[in-house]
Amino acid sequence: MQSKIQQAGTAIIEGTEFPVYKGTHGNEVIDIRNLTKVTGKFTFDPGFTSTASCESQITFIDGDEGMLLYRGYPIEQLAEQADFIETAYLLLEGELPTREECAKFRNDITYHTMVHEHFLKFFDGFRRDAHPMAIMCGAVGALSAFYHDSTDIHDPEARKIAVHRMIAKMPTIAAMAYKYTIGQPFVYPRNDLHYTENFMHMCFSVPAEDYEVNKTLASALDKIFILHMDHEQNASTSTVRLAGSSGANPFACIAAGIACLWGPAHGGANEAALNMLQEIGTVDRIPEYIAKAKDKSDPFRLMGFGHRVYKNYDPRAKVMQKASAEVLEAVGVKDPLLDVAKELEKIALEDEYFVEKKLYPNIDFYSGITLRALGFPRSMFTPLFALARTVGWIAQWREMLEDPNQKIGRPRQLYTGAAKRDFVPMDQR
Ligand code: ACO
């Protein structure tokens, strides 16, 4: 990656001048790399809410405007006009592919979708009731033992193959995790199908009968994947970068990202939103839940509302709401939870509490309803997110390795434990 940082001025901290940089969009940053050398002090920023951990040219979010850009292109345009493969190429390479580039990339991904036959045996070690995310953490980490030839991170060609393998094998692994937990045989990938169609085929077909992928549903799922592909330096992406900063194996780094995504505050929120809509059940009970959400003595929060970065409507939520309606129409289901969701959104968007705190629906608000209508059980919601986010994780991993300023991640701390003291022998304690 070629640095595009521009100096915009300076800032005085503790009497010393530090450079201030500006990027293409977003907040300016103060370069405090020399702060400790000059002042002997660290900065204190739990949760890194004020810290830019790296320079990146992949994704940008403007939380106040409700804007999400992949390589400069608005997410709404990509979700409407591009497909998974085109968007993945864009995130990885920085530009939309030409027809030839797209065909070559599609081919490279398609011909890496199979996993080593011995890899299948690995699954037998898991209990049948294991959560698919638990299986994915283990299975993706195990890829490092099967494809060691592509893990010389200093060789650009090996990095490229690792990137292709990771994106190509993720649907196969996610589908295998699903099939294993429901006791059905693994289904091999089909090279004549598009990326998302192939994933649906591996999840929903069985050897006993023919299965034809519904193109409308596959296209909706493709859109959902695009929405989830990347999101700046979120917790799981930062985990992948931190793991990768030590020079670790790329597949192991992605396994670390999966582990982080599994947390309910990150990838698990769509499941929580669906549970909440189910608990509310009918439109007439909405006021009761709005009151609970506003009550400071009640820990209840409206799931799928609010976001650390978006202080406006999450642009992904708009696309998701549309995809939700398309899927429900295609499967011919009238889900009463969609009515509850729409009404809840309407009431919350007019309520002073939510308006004042800038709490808008996030991507998770409608995604649970949509994924359920597509035929996925709740336990698969986060694996689907992981499948899509793999593109962002691996693109950010590669960008980090190609960044001349890259260093092993090693945050500091504010130590408030016991002061230095001498050991006390056991009989004197
Ligand atoms: N319902 C009711 N009140 C809320 C909600 C909510 N969903 N979200 C925030 N608030 C209130 C808080 O109580 C707080 O009120 P206060 O200022 O009176 O104390 C205020 O809004 C600010 O909340 P914070 O938690 O400080 O905001 P933050 O930006 O740190 O949190 C978060 C964002 C964690 C997403 C929060 O909005 C939340 O818990 N939402 C519900 C869970 C959810 O949908 N998570 C998915 C996020 S998207 C993703 O990860 C893909």
Side-chain angles (χ1 to χ4, degrees), residues 169-207:
K169 294 185 198 308
M170 202 59 170
T172 314
I173 296 172
M176 285 167 79
Y178 173 52
K179 287 295 200 190
Y180 185 78
T181 56
I182 58 169
Q184 289 186 3
F186 297 141
V187 175
Y188 285 84
R190 261 179 48 188
N191 289 350
D192 60 320
L193 295 174
H194 283 282
Y195 190 88
T196 304
E197 292 171 356
N198 183 39
F199 175 62
M200 290 180 73
H201 152 75
M202 289 188 288
C203 285
F204 299 129
S205 71
V206 286

Side-chain angles (χ1 to χ4, degrees), residues 398-419:
R398 195 168 73 171
E399 184 182 66
M400 177 198 64
L401 290 178
E402 291 170 4
D403 180 351
N405 287 316
Q406 190 262 326
K407 273 184 175 6
I408 184 167
R410 181 30 174 116
R412 301 295 194 150
Q413 64 173 5
L414 173 61
Y415 176 70
T416 54

